[in-house]
């Protein structure tokens, strides 16, 4: 199967903001999801660089249009990697190849008689770059820009759009999936119930030179929409490139409701006039407001993607926007909303599930994947829930209902957390006879984590790398990167070694302190530092608990290997009294290099007998990875102190 997904090409009269970021994150998530399904995918975005709006912005910046468009287009290109957006192609309407094809298409449509010259007078909105109809105005103003349109009379070229009204109506009626969600399809059908007027597609050069010259009249340039929409074809090598052949028949466009009419009416009628089959689907989403207010430069509440990433992290931004917005409806961004979602869904539900499950496998099975035995009823319902989650997730993601896909995933996270509580692995670990049951419970939990890593790859590709690493896998492993190969229960191989990972999603402060975390142009608090791992709630212990631990400096005075054990050493220390401790460090240290070291021990651990040797305490060490292998590094004291000194 093949997939071709596009975003609008963004005007370069403004810098990228949350609205652009959202559409582009959605397209990236969809393209990653389709790759997860095994599709060959092409994902295209870009910039729309002609027209009078751009000329005005360049004038304001006091630089020539060429230099201006280069500068802002670069800002868009530099923004996408920060959001972990990986497009296959970034198109610019100033690309020579695009210009040549737009001219060829204009000539073709002109030769077919679908472009004609006429005198026209009308109400023109500069913001929309189109003529408005009287009935569209609200209190005499453009409804989108709240400014009065200008009365303009001039001679221009027109595209005979009205000719294609009936075929378009039929196509929309016969193809319920052509425009979704349904509310936008209905909006278009309502619009088409009235006669369609022809579309003005040129500007005289006396008024605008920054555009593509008409091939049949050098005194005119083409109107922006005729130029812009064609990017979806030029970007894949229309008319005879192999990628056009491969991808056009499956083209899916993603836009917000603001540009519904150009995409649902101008574009399909243009394609009909060109003799090119229509695109397959148009997906339309709603608008992001900020704190329930329309985002606008004049209000000063424009939210910039770069600052969002610095403040909240890319995974959180991607997750939040996809989870919070019901695709098709408007949504409101606020710093409280994103912090609440981060802390509740990511740090608590998902993060804790990961850290609890992986920590237990380290604690009870030395980080090795245990082998499961026959499933209990409880195990079977967990498996069934996993399959149901995968099915619902897959359906929702394919239908652009990302919030529902994520809801299904989080219901499963909740079940997995309940499975831990219900099976109490810590109690099983105390009973040797329940060792096989503990193996099964731990294995099942790791399988849950694997399936979560798989489903979250498209949404949070960065977090998925860390989640996969925790399971001892790379993110490209089909077990977590292919729904076909990895989307069934029970694929983790027993015996595999997990890796130690730090907290997946450190909690974000802000909500509880009442401090503003949002970064808009209006309020500019310092970015929150996120790089230091913060403990999650289940990790927190109270001070009294900590006080019970007797941590002391111990000086090693003798070390001996223990017979029949590869891992253990018998360590004799002064702390300050002499005692022996059995430590699992034989694979990491030679006995002789330890003598004389001062290390930190837990002095009040209950004594135990290990391999016949008395152990009074525990030596502390850090777990780390060196050359991909786990290594233990003893926590030593750098300056010599009296043996037995308390560590606090
Ligand atoms: N250049 C045209 C599109 C040509 S496509 C052939 C254009 N550019 S734009 O810069 O104004 O981008 C509009 C698009 O940006 C919207 O359709 C949407 O994808 C995104 N958004 C801009 N503001 C938005 C919000 N406030 N909320 C959500 N998305 C928004 O129109």
């Amino acid at each position: 199967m093949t997939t071709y997904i596009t975003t609008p090409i963004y005007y370069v009269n403004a810098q990228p903001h949350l609205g652009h970021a959202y559409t582009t994150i959605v397209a990236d998530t969809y393209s990653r999801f389709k790759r997860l399904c095994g599709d060959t995918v092409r994902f295209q975005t870009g910039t729309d660089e002609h027209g009078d709006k751009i000329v005005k912005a360049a004038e304001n910046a006091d630089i020539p249009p060429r230099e201006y468009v280069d500068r802002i287009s670069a800002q868009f290109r530099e923004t996408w990697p920060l959001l972990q957006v990986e497009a296959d192609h970034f198109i610019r309407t100033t690309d020579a190849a695009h210009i040549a094809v737009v001219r060829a298409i204009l000539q073709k449509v002109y030769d077919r008689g679908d472009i004609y010259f006429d005198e026209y007078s009308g109400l023109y909105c500069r913001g929309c770059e189109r003529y408005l109809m009287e009935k569209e105005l609200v209190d005499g103003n453009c409804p989108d820009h709240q400014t009065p349109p200008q009365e303009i009379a001039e001679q221009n070229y027109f595209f005979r759009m009205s000719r294609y009204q009936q075929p378009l109506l039929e196509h929309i009626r016969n193809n319920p999936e052509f425009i979704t969600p349904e509310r936008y399809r209905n909006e278009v059908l309502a619009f088409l119930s009235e006669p369609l007027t022809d579309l003005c597609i040129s500007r005289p050069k006396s008024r605008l030179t920054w555009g593509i010259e008409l091939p049949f009249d050098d005194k005119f340039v083409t109107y922006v929409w005729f130029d812009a929409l064609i990017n979806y074809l030029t970007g894949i090598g229309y008319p005879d490139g192999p990628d056009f052949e491969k991808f056009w028949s499956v083209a899916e466009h993603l836009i917000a409701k603001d540009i519904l009419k150009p995409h649902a009416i101008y574009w399909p009628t243009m394609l009909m006039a060109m003799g090119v089959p229509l695109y397959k689907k148009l997906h339309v989403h709603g608008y992001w407001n900020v704190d329930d207010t329309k985002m606008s430069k004049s209000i000063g509440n424009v939210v910039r993607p770069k600052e969002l990433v610095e403040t909240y992290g890319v995974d959180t931004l991607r997750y939040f926007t996809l989870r919070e917005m019901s695709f098709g409806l408007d949504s409101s961004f606020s710093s409280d909303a994103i912090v609440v979602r981060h802390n509740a869904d990511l740090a608590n539900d998902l993060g804790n599930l990961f850290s609890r499950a992986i920590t237990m496998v380290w604690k009870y099975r030395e980080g090795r994947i245990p082998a499961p035995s026959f499933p209990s009823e409880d195990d079977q319902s967990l498996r069934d829930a996993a399959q149901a989650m995968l099915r619902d997730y897959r359906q929702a993601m394919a239908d652009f209902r990302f919030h529902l896909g994520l809801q299904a995933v989080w219901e499963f996270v909740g079940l997995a957390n309940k499975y831990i509580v219900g099976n109490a692995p810590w109690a099983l670990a105390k009973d040797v006879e329940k060792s096989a049951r503990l193996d099964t419970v731990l294995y099942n939990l790791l399988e849950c984590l694997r399936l979560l890593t798989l489903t979250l790859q498209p949404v949070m590709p960065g977090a998925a790398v860390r989640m996969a690493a925790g399971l001892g896998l790379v993110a490209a492993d089909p077990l977590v990167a292919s729904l076909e190969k990895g989307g069934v229960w029970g694929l983790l191989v027993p015996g595999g070694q997990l890796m130690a990972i730090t907290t997946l999603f450190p909690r974000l402060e802000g909500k509880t302190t009442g401090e503003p975390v949002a970064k808009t142009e209006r309020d500019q608090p310092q970015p929150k530092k996120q790089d230091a791992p913060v403990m999650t709630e289940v990790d927190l212990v109270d001070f009294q608990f900590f006080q019970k631990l007797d941590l002391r400096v111990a000086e090693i005075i003798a070390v001996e290997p223990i017979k029949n054990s590869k891992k253990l050493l018998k360590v004799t220390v002064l702390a300050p009294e002499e005692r022996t401790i059995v430590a699992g460090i034989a694979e990491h240290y030679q006995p002789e290099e330890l003598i004389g070291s001062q290390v930190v021990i837990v002095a009040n651990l209950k004594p135990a007998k290990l391999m016949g040797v008395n152990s009074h305490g525990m030596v502390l060490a850090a777990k780390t990875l060196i050359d991909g292998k786990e290594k233990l590094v003893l926590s030593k004291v750098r300056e010599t102190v009296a043996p037995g000194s308390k560590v606090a």
Side-chain angles (χ1 to χ4, degrees), residues 360 364-365 376 378-379 419-445:
M360 287 190 291
Y364 304 131
R365 294 295 180 261
S376 70
D378 197 23
D379 301 344
Y419 180 84
I420 297 188
V421 177
N423 286 283
W426 45 88
L428 299 174
K430 289 194 186 129
D431 187 343
V432 264
E433 287 186 3
K434 298 206 169 125
S435 175
R437 180 68 199 144
L438 178 61
D439 282 348
T440 306
V441 169
L442 294 179
Y443 182 85
N444 289 344
L445 284 170

Side-chain angles (χ1 to χ4, degrees), residues 51-71:
D52 35 18
K53 267 207 268 203
I54 314 292
V55 174
K56 259 245 137 61
E59 274 167 20
N60 289 341
D62 210 15
I63 49 173
R66 178 85 247 173
E67 198 179 320
Y68 177 79
V69 299
D70 285 350
R71 182 188 294 178

Side-chain angles (χ1 to χ4, degrees), residues 11 40 101 166 169 179 205 207 216 231 272 303 335 353 369 397 402 408 421 462 503 506 562 599 619 645:
Y11 283 134
T40 305
V101 175
Q166 276 315 312
L169 247 176
I179 302 166
K205 276 199 187 161
R207 194 146 77 77
F216 41 82
N231 91 83
M272 286 176 183
V303 180
S335 47
L353 174 64
I369 300 171
M397 298 293 281
F402 306 99
V421 177
T503 311
I562 294 180
V599 295
V619 180
S645 299

Side-chain angles (χ1 to χ4, degrees), residues 525-575:
Q526 289 306 304
K528 289 268 174 298
K529 282 272 172 284
Q530 275 191 52
D531 31 12
V534 178
M535 281 189 181
T536 52
E537 228 153 53
V538 287
D539 298 321
L540 296 177
V541 293
D542 55 32
F543 187 63
Q544 281 155 330
F545 176 87
F546 171 73
Q547 271 188 319
K548 285 191 195 155
L549 284 180
D550 185 11
L551 300 178
R552 288 180 187 273
V553 174
E555 187 164 316
I556 300 179
I557 52 169
V559 183
E560 295 165 48
I562 294 180
K563 226 173 138 196
N564 296 332
S565 173
K566 275 197 274 176
K567 290 194 175 163
L568 302 178
L569 290 179
K570 177 181 168 190
V571 183
T572 309
V573 299
L574 297 178

Side-chain angles (χ1 to χ4, degrees), residues 103-383:
R103 283 167 61 84
I105 290 174
L106 281 163
Q107 188 67 54
K108 185 171 176 184
V109 178
Y110 182 73
D111 292 344
R112 287 185 165 203
D114 275 341
I115 291 176
Y116 62 92
F117 194 57
D118 203 3
E119 162 102 22
Y120 183 78
S121 76
L123 299 168
Y124 187 74
C125 172
R126 256 178 187 271
C128 299
E129 304 237 29
R130 68 180 181 94
Y131 288 97
L132 302 180
M133 287 185 295
E134 199 89 50
K135 66 173 184 196
E136 287 182 82
L137 305 184
V138 177
D139 300 329
N141 287 335
C142 161
D144 287 343
H145 296 91
Q146 280 86 42
T147 47
Q150 286 171 277
E151 175 98 44
I152 289 184
E154 65 190 9
Q155 288 193 311
N156 260 317
Y157 284 89
F158 289 82
F159 166 51
R160 222 180 278 283
M161 195 156 73
S162 54
R163 180 182 271 180
Y164 298 97
Q165 175 159 8
Q166 276 315 312
L168 176 59
L169 247 176
E170 269 161 45
H171 186 83
I172 298 174
R173 284 197 185 124
N174 295 338
N175 295 278
E177 301 238 297
F178 185 57
I179 302 166
T180 53
E182 204 177 354
R183 54 191 310 161
Y184 296 108
R185 176 175 184 260
N186 293 338
E187 206 175 290
V188 175
L189 285 172
F191 189 78
L192 285 173
S193 65
E194 308 252 341
L196 209 54
T197 50
D198 288 343
L199 182 68
C200 179
I201 59 150
S202 68
R203 294 287 172 273
K205 276 199 187 161
S206 55
R207 194 146 77 77
L208 175 74
T209 52
W210 185 245
I212 301 177
E213 192 175 273
L214 295 184
F216 41 82
D217 190 339
D218 63 9
K219 292 186 292 306
F220 288 83
V221 294
T222 189
Y223 163 79
V224 287
W225 282 108
F226 215 93
D227 168 357
L229 289 161
I230 290 173
N231 91 83
Y232 301 132
L233 293 178
T234 53
I236 50 169
Y238 172 83
D240 42 24
D243 281 342
F244 173 70
E245 189 76 16
K246 193 162 158 194
F247 291 109
W248 180 250
S249 61
V250 294
E252 295 180 69
H253 301 313
L254 171 65
I255 58 166
K257 60 183 184 180
D258 56 334
I259 49 177
L260 176 61
K261 211 180 286 173
H263 282 80
I265 296 174
Y266 305 175
W267 184 222
T269 53
M270 281 167 64
L271 288 164
M272 286 176 183
M274 288 156 54
V276 174
L278 304 196
Y279 58 81
K280 202 167 126 212
K281 286 183 182 176
L282 180 65
H283 305 279
V284 189
H285 65 76
Y287 247 44
W288 279 100
N289 297 316
V290 171
D291 296 322
D292 293 314
T293 311
K294 191 179 153 110
M295 200 173 18
S296 104
K297 235 180 161 172
S298 52
I299 300 176
N301 64 347
V302 179
V303 180
R304 302 288 173 204
K306 183 167 184 274
E307 288 161 3
L308 289 174
V309 168
E310 282 167 4
T311 311
Y312 306 106
V314 58
D315 291 320
T316 301
L317 175 63
R318 289 177 67 113
Y319 171 74
F320 170 79
T321 50
L322 292 163
R323 177 66 187 80
E324 194 76 5
M325 182 174 256
S326 297
F327 191 88
L329 302 179
D330 289 354
S331 213
S332 184
F333 175 88
S334 73
S335 47
D336 277 359
I338 192 168
V339 171
V340 165
R341 275 245 176 258
H342 172 96
N343 286 344
D345 298 4
L346 299 179
N348 274 5
D349 296 348
L350 179 64
N352 282 347
L353 174 64
F354 246 80
S355 68
R356 288 164 96 186
I358 289 195
T359 306
M360 287 190 291
V361 178
W362 275 106
K363 189 163 163 193
Y364 304 131
R365 294 295 180 261
E366 295 182 324
R368 287 207 182 275
I369 300 171
S373 41
F374 198 72
S376 70
E377 219 171 274
D378 197 23
D379 301 344
Q380 194 53 51
S381 44
L382 187 71
R383 287 181 187 198

